[in-house]
Amino acid sequence: MSAVAAATEVSRPSVCKELGDRAGLGRALVLRETRGFLEGVARTLHSGLPDADPRPTARRLSLMTLKVLR
């Protein structure tokens, strides 16, 4: 929690008040990453007219999924 406070330039008590404990920090991280992933999926799926060939879209989604999993 101290490292998070230092990285975000707020006090440790502020971090603890916002997140509670390490489990709260973990939940916040998972929610942030999930939100980013789903926003990327939405951008990929709604990036204009559908491809005549679905493989480019499937490839973009696969690459995005791999990026998230790394």
Side-chain angles (χ1 to χ4, degrees):
M1 298 300 267
S2 296
V4 172
T8 57
E9 299 179 352
V10 298
S11 68
R12 188 176 186 280
S14 293
V15 172
C16 290
K17 181 179 178 184
E18 184 68 28
L19 301 173
D21 55 11
R22 282 188 269 172
L25 174 62
R27 282 189 297 276
L29 177 62
V30 168
L31 287 173
R32 185 188 75 179
E33 293 300 316
T34 301
R35 186 177 299 115
F37 174 74
L38 292 175
E39 287 170 356
V41 169
R43 279 192 306 275
T44 298
L45 294 176
H46 301 292
S47 61
L49 297 174
D51 297 316
D53 180 357
R55 288 177 289 186
T57 299
R59 178 169 163 60
R60 288 192 305 267
L61 286 171
S62 297
L63 290 173
M64 186 179 3
T65 302
L66 289 173
K67 180 181 175 186
V68 169
L69 293 175
R70 289 186 188 141

